[in-house]
Amino acid sequence: MLNLAYTSSKAAVNMITVAYAKELWDTPIKVNAVDPGWVRTDINHGTGIKSPEEGAAPILAMVLLGPDGPTAAFVQDEGRLPW
């Protein structure tokens, strides 16, 4: 069953990510969204296939972006995803 509150909040986060990225486009600040994948957490009762360390890897990569890195991107381990 579709969880309306969860999916709606995810869509809102995506929208605000792009809005902030556009607002900050001409600054050194990068605004991106990261999909860490299915990570073992308390919220999924430990059923994720990735460890927390594996889930943190794409997030850390985006935190360490250089000045030529993307903005308004949606990324995961495998690279950029379409919005």
Side-chain angles (χ1 to χ4, degrees), residues 18-75:
V18 173
Y20 283 151
K22 287 183 178 183
E23 183 69 25
L24 298 166
W25 194 268
D26 293 328
T27 75
I29 299 170
K30 309 289 184 202
V31 184
N32 296 293
V34 181
D35 175 4
W38 190 244
V39 178
R40 287 187 297 276
T41 65
D42 292 343
I43 200 167
N44 65 26
H45 307 289
T47 60
I49 60 172
K50 288 184 173 183
S51 70
E53 294 80 12
E54 291 168 322
I59 298 167
L60 184 57
M62 294 307 283
V63 168
L64 298 174
L65 277 178
D68 294 333
T71 194
F74 182 32
V75 299

